[in-house]
Amino acid sequence: VQLQASGGGSVQAGGSLRLSCSASGSIFSIRLMGWYRQAPGRERELVATINRRGTTDYIGSVKGRFAISRNNDNNTVFLQMNSLKPEDTAVYYCNAEHIATPDRMYPELWGQGTLVTVSS
């Protein structure tokens, strides 16, 4: 089982980007999916999460600008980022917790990072 992220890029302040992350492999269910980010010289921080029922949570700095969603049928999570600011510049990582497969339960998986650069 792997997570594959895509959708990063460079935009000007005020622009939008949409990140996607798909879990590959034979998967029964994923309890929680989310996005983290790590800016240069800073620790990785949680940006947003969404559970199987669609309950979401965001850090304060992105509320009202970012929207997380997921498709349980194909185990994909999205992050729609609007009104981007230079301080949103970071490598964004997708995360999944409690992944149930026919063979085993994975406590946690990480996707590769995707770079988002917002210029002023």
Side-chain angles (χ1 to χ4, degrees):
V1 178
Q2 291 184 326
L3 298 181
Q4 182 70 37
S6 62
S10 297
V11 295
Q12 290 190 324
S16 298
L17 283 174
R18 181 177 172 86
L19 305 182
S20 301
C21 178
S22 294
S24 62
S26 182
I27 297 171
F28 289 144
S29 65
I30 301 176
R31 177 180 293 176
L32 189 71
M33 302 187 81
W35 291 93
Y36 288 69
R37 67 185 180 186
Q38 187 167 18
R42 302 187 66 176
E43 294 190 353
R44 190 175 298 189
E45 65 175 355
L46 176 63
V47 176
T49 60
I50 182 168
N51 64 18
R52 280 187 55 82
R53 293 190 298 272
T55 303
T56 60
D57 194 19
Y58 300 89
I59 56 169
S61 61
V62 308
K63 284 183 179 178
R65 300 189 298 122
F66 290 11
I68 189 170
S69 59
R70 65 186 280 177
N71 184 323
N72 291 330
D73 291 336
N74 59 18
N75 299 305
T76 302
V77 63
F78 306 94
L79 186 67
Q80 178 66 43
M81 304 183 293
N82 300 324
S83 302
L84 281 161
K85 303 176 180 180
E87 51 263 43
D88 294 317
T89 295
V91 177
Y92 285 70
Y93 298 89
C94 61
N95 172 272
E97 295 182 6
H98 214 267
I99 305 103
T101 75
D103 298 324
R104 56 170 289 190
M105 175 72 71
Y106 293 80
E108 184 176 47
L109 287 175
W110 289 92
Q112 90 287 4
T114 184
L115 178 62
V116 172
T117 303
V118 185
S119 58
S120 57

